[in-house]
Amino acid sequence: MRKFYRSTREKQLSGVLGGLSERFGVDVSILRIVTVVSGFFTSGITWLIYFIAAAVMPTDKDL
């Protein structure tokens, strides 16, 4: 089973979306757009989840 990790290659802020894009095979730009848009519709809950994930997810160097 593959684990979630923060990417060091596809990194803008912390690499969370880069790691998710590598895990699921989705373009990282699409994930970034979806995250920004959903952050507005959820009053920032998406961004809160993003920063929590950035704090707890290991980087790909740690694996």
Side-chain angles (χ1 to χ4, degrees):
M1 184 167 113
R2 295 172 51 190
K3 293 188 175 189
F4 291 115
Y5 60 88
R6 292 184 294 138
S7 176
T8 55
R9 293 180 302 263
E10 293 289 338
K11 184 176 176 180
Q12 286 291 321
L13 287 177
S14 66
V16 172
L17 297 178
L20 289 175
S21 72
E22 292 174 6
R23 170 73 166 93
F24 292 113
V26 180
D27 186 26
V28 71
S29 298
I30 294 172
L31 287 179
R32 288 178 182 143
I33 292 169
V34 168
T35 301
V36 168
V37 170
S38 69
F40 287 111
F41 286 114
T42 62
S43 302
I45 299 296
T46 304
W47 300 325
L48 178 65
I49 293 169
Y50 176 88
F51 288 117
I52 291 171
V56 299
M57 288 174 68
T59 61
D60 54 359
K61 291 181 180 178
D62 294 338
L63 298 178

